[in-house]
């Protein structure tokens, strides 16, 4: 089985690792930037706040609108699971006031390196190539046309991020690709998350 992940940010690297380790798929990640995790480098003022070490219930109690939407995600991979993932892969963490979790080194690059290295060690291939269009056949996505190459896959996972920070590559490409697959895109509004 072949899996193509579009985007090598936090979601893309984790999706690639999960596909490689849970399905034994041959995984390729197409990233338009010159390196993986570009937006992660600037999170938390360069320190990268990984998670908030609270219970799933506490997390959901702080979601302003429609917390039910997040039930399966937060119970499927809890903040504690996030901490365990990074510590088991060699990244020392620390918890600060407000239960905010950071790398002990205070360097976001260590978070990126941990995720990147684990994806690669799990068998994922990361290529620098910009996704331009989905390849559709009988209503199914069978690949992606990129600037340099065309990639065919049994499954395509779009992890392009939003449209929050164009300098980091978050230019809304995922919305364009999702629309090509028939998804309805609601008008975007600024938000702080």
């Amino acid at each position: 089985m072949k899996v193509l992940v579009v985007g090598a940010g936090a979601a893309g690297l984790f999706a690639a690792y999960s596909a490689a380790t849970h399905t034994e798929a041959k995984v390729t990640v197409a990233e338009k930037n010159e390196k993986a995790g570009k937006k992660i480098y600037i999170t938390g003022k360069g320190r990268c706040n990984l998670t908030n070490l609270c219970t799933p219930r506490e997390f959901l109690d702080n979601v302003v609108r429609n917390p039910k939407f997040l039930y399966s995600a937060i119970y499927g991979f809890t903040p504690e699971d996030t901490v365990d993932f990074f510590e088991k892969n060699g990244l020392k963490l620390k918890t600060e006031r407000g239960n905010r979790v950071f790398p002990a080194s205070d360097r976001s690059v260590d978070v990126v390196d941990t995720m990147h290295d684990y994806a690669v060690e799990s068998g994922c291939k990361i290529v620098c190539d910009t996704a331009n269009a989905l390849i559709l056949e009988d209503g199914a996505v069978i690949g992606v046309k990129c600037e340099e190459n065309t990639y065919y896959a049994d499954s395509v996972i779009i992890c392009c991020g939003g449209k929050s920070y164009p300098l980091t590559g978050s230019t809304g490409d995922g919305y364009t690709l999702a629309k090509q697959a028939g998804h309805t895109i609601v008008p975007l509004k600024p938000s702080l998350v």
Side-chain angles (χ1 to χ4, degrees), residues 10-152:
L13 289 171
F14 206 83
Y17 143 77
S18 294
T21 57
H22 293 47
T23 67
E24 298 179 14
K26 184 177 179 181
V27 180
T28 300
V29 182
E31 169 57 44
K32 75 178 187 178
N33 289 313
E34 70 283 358
K35 59 185 174 184
K38 195 165 181 179
K39 198 183 330 172
I40 299 169
Y41 285 100
I42 63 171
T43 61
K45 297 181 183 173
R47 295 174 58 216
C48 191
N49 180 341
L50 291 168
T51 190
N52 187 285
L53 199 51
C54 63
T55 67
R57 182 74 255 157
E58 290 171 308
F59 173 86
L60 292 168
D61 287 344
N62 286 286
V63 175
V64 178
R65 289 180 26 198
N66 196 14
K68 289 182 181 179
F69 175 75
L70 297 170
Y71 274 30
S72 63
I74 195 66
Y75 281 104
F77 200 80
T78 67
E80 201 168 271
D81 293 330
T82 302
V83 169
D84 288 344
F85 170 82
F86 282 99
E87 288 185 337
K88 285 178 182 174
N89 288 291
L91 184 63
K92 292 183 180 179
L93 303 176
K94 63 181 178 179
T95 304
E96 295 184 357
R97 96 182 137 73
N99 291 322
R100 296 174 302 145
V101 179
F102 292 91
S105 65
D106 283 329
R107 295 169 15 117
S108 59
V109 66
D110 295 337
V111 175
V112 175
D113 288 348
T114 300
M115 294 184 76
H116 175 273
D117 294 350
Y118 200 67
V120 170
E121 289 167 12
S122 298
C124 301
K125 178 182 176 184
I126 301 175
V127 297
C128 291
D129 207 349
T130 302
N132 291 326
L134 298 178
I135 303 169
L136 300 162
E137 185 176 278
D138 298 324
V141 179
I142 62 164
V144 176
K145 289 183 182 178
C146 292
E147 281 184 13
E148 302 292 325
N149 293 294
T150 298
Y151 302 91
Y152 290 92

Side-chain angles (χ1 to χ4, degrees), residues 148-159:
E148 302 292 325
N149 293 294
T150 298
Y151 302 91
Y152 290 92
D154 300 296
S155 295
V156 175
I157 305 171
I158 299 173
C159 295

